[in-house]
Amino acid sequence: MELIDNAKCFLRSQGVDQWQNGYPDKDCLEKDIEKEIGYLCMLDGRPAGYVCIDFNGEPAYNTLSGSWLSSQPYVVLHRLALSPSFRGRGLAASVFQAAEKMARSKDVHSFKVDTNSQNLIMRHILEKQGFVYCGTICFDNSEKIAFEKLLL
Protein backbone atom coordinates (compact mmCIF):
# COMPACT_ATOMS: atom_id res chain seq x y z
CA MET A 1 0.00 0.00 0.00
CA GLU A 2 2.95 2.33 0.51
CA LEU A 3 3.68 2.21 -3.23
CA ILE A 4 0.02 2.96 -4.04
CA ASP A 5 -0.18 5.76 -1.47
CA ASN A 6 3.00 7.35 -2.85
CA ALA A 7 1.53 7.16 -6.37
CA LYS A 8 -1.70 8.79 -5.17
CA CYS A 9 0.30 11.67 -3.66
CA PHE A 10 2.38 12.02 -6.82
CA LEU A 11 -0.74 12.16 -9.02
CA ARG A 12 -2.29 14.78 -6.72
CA SER A 13 0.92 16.85 -6.87
CA GLN A 14 0.68 16.75 -10.69
CA GLY A 15 -2.92 18.05 -10.59
CA VAL A 16 -4.35 14.67 -11.62
CA ASP A 17 -7.54 13.60 -9.86
CA GLN A 18 -6.97 9.91 -10.71
CA TRP A 19 -6.87 7.64 -7.61
CA GLN A 20 -8.02 10.42 -5.30
CA ASN A 21 -11.27 8.75 -4.16
CA GLY A 22 -9.90 5.72 -2.29
CA TYR A 23 -9.26 3.48 -5.29
CA PRO A 24 -7.12 1.43 -5.40
CA ASP A 25 -7.38 0.25 -1.82
CA LYS A 26 -6.07 -2.70 0.19
CA ASP A 27 -9.03 -4.90 -0.80
CA CYS A 28 -8.35 -4.24 -4.47
CA LEU A 29 -4.71 -5.29 -4.11
CA GLU A 30 -5.64 -8.35 -2.05
CA LYS A 31 -8.04 -9.43 -4.82
CA ASP A 32 -5.25 -8.96 -7.39
CA ILE A 33 -2.99 -11.18 -5.32
CA GLU A 34 -5.70 -13.83 -4.81
CA LYS A 35 -6.29 -13.93 -8.58
CA GLU A 36 -2.51 -14.05 -9.16
CA ILE A 37 -2.58 -10.90 -11.30
CA GLY A 38 -0.80 -8.55 -8.86
CA TYR A 39 2.96 -8.17 -9.25
CA LEU A 40 5.60 -6.53 -7.11
CA CYS A 41 8.35 -5.02 -9.24
CA MET A 42 11.80 -5.42 -7.74
CA LEU A 43 14.92 -3.44 -8.61
CA ASP A 44 18.28 -3.72 -6.87
CA GLY A 45 16.63 -6.12 -4.41
CA ARG A 46 14.09 -3.50 -3.28
CA PRO A 47 10.36 -3.06 -4.00
CA ALA A 48 10.20 -0.59 -6.87
CA GLY A 49 6.60 -0.81 -8.01
CA TYR A 50 3.29 -2.60 -8.15
CA VAL A 51 1.20 -3.53 -11.18
CA CYS A 52 -1.81 -5.62 -12.10
CA ILE A 53 -1.39 -7.59 -15.34
CA ASP A 54 -4.67 -9.26 -16.25
CA PHE A 55 -5.64 -11.59 -19.09
CA ASN A 56 -9.29 -11.91 -18.03
CA GLY A 57 -10.55 -8.79 -19.79
CA GLU A 58 -11.92 -5.53 -18.46
CA PRO A 59 -15.74 -5.23 -18.53
CA ALA A 60 -15.56 -1.44 -18.90
CA TYR A 61 -13.76 -1.92 -22.22
CA ASN A 62 -16.98 -3.34 -23.69
CA THR A 63 -18.47 0.16 -23.49
CA LEU A 64 -15.71 1.98 -25.36
CA SER A 65 -16.83 5.17 -27.02
CA GLY A 66 -14.56 4.87 -30.03
CA SER A 67 -13.05 1.89 -31.75
CA TRP A 68 -10.54 -0.71 -30.59
CA LEU A 69 -7.87 -1.78 -33.06
CA SER A 70 -8.93 -5.43 -32.62
CA SER A 71 -11.49 -7.66 -30.95
CA GLN A 72 -9.07 -10.44 -30.04
CA PRO A 73 -8.15 -11.56 -26.49
CA TYR A 74 -5.91 -9.03 -24.76
CA VAL A 75 -3.78 -8.28 -21.76
CA VAL A 76 -4.65 -5.24 -19.68
CA LEU A 77 -2.39 -3.36 -17.31
CA HIS A 78 -3.94 -1.68 -14.27
CA ARG A 79 -2.72 0.01 -11.10
CA LEU A 80 0.85 0.79 -12.09
CA ALA A 81 2.51 2.47 -9.11
CA LEU A 82 6.25 3.13 -9.05
CA SER A 83 8.37 4.07 -6.08
CA PRO A 84 9.64 7.65 -6.12
CA SER A 85 13.10 6.19 -5.39
CA PHE A 86 13.18 4.62 -8.84
CA ARG A 87 11.61 7.30 -11.04
CA GLY A 88 13.55 8.17 -14.16
CA ARG A 89 15.23 4.76 -14.44
CA GLY A 90 13.00 3.32 -17.18
CA LEU A 91 11.03 1.08 -14.84
CA ALA A 92 7.68 1.85 -16.48
CA ALA A 93 9.04 0.79 -19.87
CA SER A 94 10.40 -2.41 -18.31
CA VAL A 95 6.99 -3.19 -16.79
CA PHE A 96 5.25 -2.70 -20.14
CA GLN A 97 7.86 -4.86 -21.87
CA ALA A 98 7.43 -7.62 -19.26
CA ALA A 99 3.65 -7.55 -19.77
CA GLU A 100 4.18 -7.82 -23.54
CA LYS A 101 6.48 -10.80 -23.04
CA MET A 102 3.87 -12.48 -20.83
CA ALA A 103 1.20 -11.82 -23.47
CA ARG A 104 3.27 -13.27 -26.29
CA SER A 105 4.00 -16.38 -24.19
CA LYS A 106 0.23 -16.88 -23.93
CA ASP A 107 -0.25 -16.20 -27.67
CA VAL A 108 -2.07 -12.94 -26.88
CA HIS A 109 -1.41 -10.17 -29.40
CA SER A 110 -3.39 -7.23 -28.06
CA PHE A 111 -2.47 -4.99 -25.13
CA LYS A 112 -5.05 -2.54 -23.77
CA VAL A 113 -4.77 0.12 -21.10
CA ASP A 114 -6.62 3.19 -19.88
CA THR A 115 -5.69 6.28 -17.91
CA ASN A 116 -7.04 9.61 -16.79
CA SER A 117 -6.81 12.25 -19.54
CA GLN A 118 -4.91 14.53 -17.10
CA ASN A 119 -2.22 11.90 -16.50
CA LEU A 120 0.28 13.36 -18.95
CA ILE A 121 3.16 11.22 -17.69
CA MET A 122 1.28 7.96 -18.36
CA ARG A 123 0.09 9.28 -21.71
CA HIS A 124 3.72 10.00 -22.63
CA ILE A 125 4.78 6.50 -21.54
CA LEU A 126 1.98 4.96 -23.62
CA GLU A 127 2.99 6.99 -26.66
CA LYS A 128 6.64 5.93 -26.28
CA GLN A 129 5.55 2.30 -25.97
CA GLY A 130 3.59 2.47 -29.25
CA PHE A 131 0.02 2.51 -27.93
CA VAL A 132 -2.73 4.03 -30.08
CA TYR A 133 -5.57 6.14 -28.69
CA CYS A 134 -8.88 4.31 -29.27
CA GLY A 135 -11.53 6.32 -27.38
CA THR A 136 -13.00 6.74 -23.92
CA ILE A 137 -14.51 4.48 -21.30
CA CYS A 138 -16.19 5.00 -17.94
CA PHE A 139 -14.10 3.38 -15.22
CA ASP A 140 -13.79 4.08 -11.49
CA ASN A 141 -16.74 6.51 -11.78
CA SER A 142 -14.97 8.76 -14.27
CA GLU A 143 -14.14 8.97 -17.95
CA LYS A 144 -10.79 7.49 -18.94
CA ILE A 145 -8.95 7.48 -22.24
CA ALA A 146 -8.25 4.04 -23.67
CA PHE A 147 -5.36 2.76 -25.76
CA GLU A 148 -4.40 -0.43 -27.55
CA LYS A 149 -1.18 -1.82 -28.95
CA LEU A 150 -1.08 -4.78 -31.29
CA LEU A 151 1.73 -7.17 -30.46
CA LEU A 152 3.24 -8.71 -33.56
Side-chain angles (χ1 to χ4, degrees), residues 6-137:
N6 282 334
K8 288 178 180 183
C9 289
F10 179 72
L11 288 169
R12 185 172 43 251
S13 76
Q14 299 296 305
V16 179
D17 65 5
Q18 188 173 2
W19 290 9
Q20 301 305 305
N21 65 356
Y23 169 90
D25 59 16
K26 185 178 177 184
D27 287 344
C28 182
L29 300 188
E30 287 174 352
K31 287 177 186 170
D32 287 350
I33 293 164
E34 285 172 18
K35 294 178 185 177
E36 299 182 353
I37 59 175
Y39 296 87
L40 185 62
C41 308
M42 301 293 290
L43 193 61
D44 300 333
R46 299 185 338 207
Y50 175 83
V51 66
C52 169
I53 301 172
D54 193 352
F55 289 87
N56 298 310
E58 169 52 59
Y61 289 1
N62 296 332
T63 62
L64 178 76
S65 178
S67 181
W68 292 113
L69 301 178
S70 73
S71 59
Q72 61 188 305
Y74 58 91
V75 61
V76 61
L77 190 143
H78 284 306
R79 296 179 280 288
L80 177 60
L82 303 178
S83 167
S85 302
F86 294 97
R87 283 199 193 108
R89 293 181 59 181
L91 185 57
S94 295
V95 169
F96 276 91
Q97 290 162 9
E100 287 184 26
K101 184 176 180 182
M102 289 172 66
R104 286 186 181 98
S105 75
K106 295 176 180 284
D107 202 29
V108 171
H109 300 283
S110 170
F111 191 162
K112 295 180 181 179
V113 66
D114 64 88
T115 193
N116 187 295
S117 62
Q118 301 168 321
N119 192 339
L120 300 179
I121 293 172
M122 180 56 77
R123 290 174 66 176
H124 177 72
I125 291 167
L126 293 171
E127 181 180 307
K128 282 181 66 175
Q129 293 299 310
F131 283 81
V132 175
Y133 171 81
C134 293
T136 60
I137 60 161

